Amino acid sequence: MKLYNITLGLGCALFLYACGNPEESMNKTMADFTKKCNNEVYDCDCYGEKVKAHFKTDEAYIAYYEKNNEVPDALIDALGECSKDEFDF
């Protein structure tokens, strides 16, 4: 029984470590979101401007993400304009 408990405990600890803390991955502001820009794929200055233009304020950004767990389609389209790749959006 001890071996089972130890194995279960280690398994849970490993699972939680692998998944990470959800608070760490959450973007609390538009700047947090923009910092995650991949500069190999996007012009990050353009990316940041598109995020700011879409949400206008951090309050609007936060309010949106409290209700939704995804990037808005309109913002995805706008961010496509900042892509360094040569494909058409």
Side-chain angles (χ1 to χ4, degrees):
M1 189 65 167
K2 278 186 179 182
L3 181 60
Y4 175 76
N5 288 338
I6 291 170
T7 304
L8 182 61
L10 288 174
C12 288
L14 182 59
F15 176 75
L16 292 174
Y17 174 77
C19 292
N21 181 351
E23 291 291 319
E24 291 174 1
S25 63
M26 183 180 165
N27 302 311
K28 296 184 191 250
T29 65
M30 290 186 289
D32 293 338
F33 184 88
T34 301
K35 284 179 190 174
K36 293 183 180 180
C37 173
N38 182 341
N39 63 6
E40 292 179 11
V41 178
Y42 294 101
D43 171 347
C44 291
D45 291 332
C46 173
Y47 190 97
E49 291 302 316
K50 297 293 183 180
V51 172
K52 289 177 191 173
H54 183 81
F55 288 109
K56 311 282 190 271
T57 66
D58 278 332
E59 291 79 14
Y61 173 87
I62 292 166
Y64 176 83
Y65 280 104
E66 284 178 349
K67 295 178 184 172
N68 303 284
N69 196 21
E70 61 189 20
V71 178
D73 290 339
L75 180 55
I76 291 171
D77 292 342
L79 293 176
E81 297 172 13
C82 301
S83 176
K84 291 182 178 179
D85 290 332
E86 296 293 325
F87 54 88
D88 187 24
F89 272 88

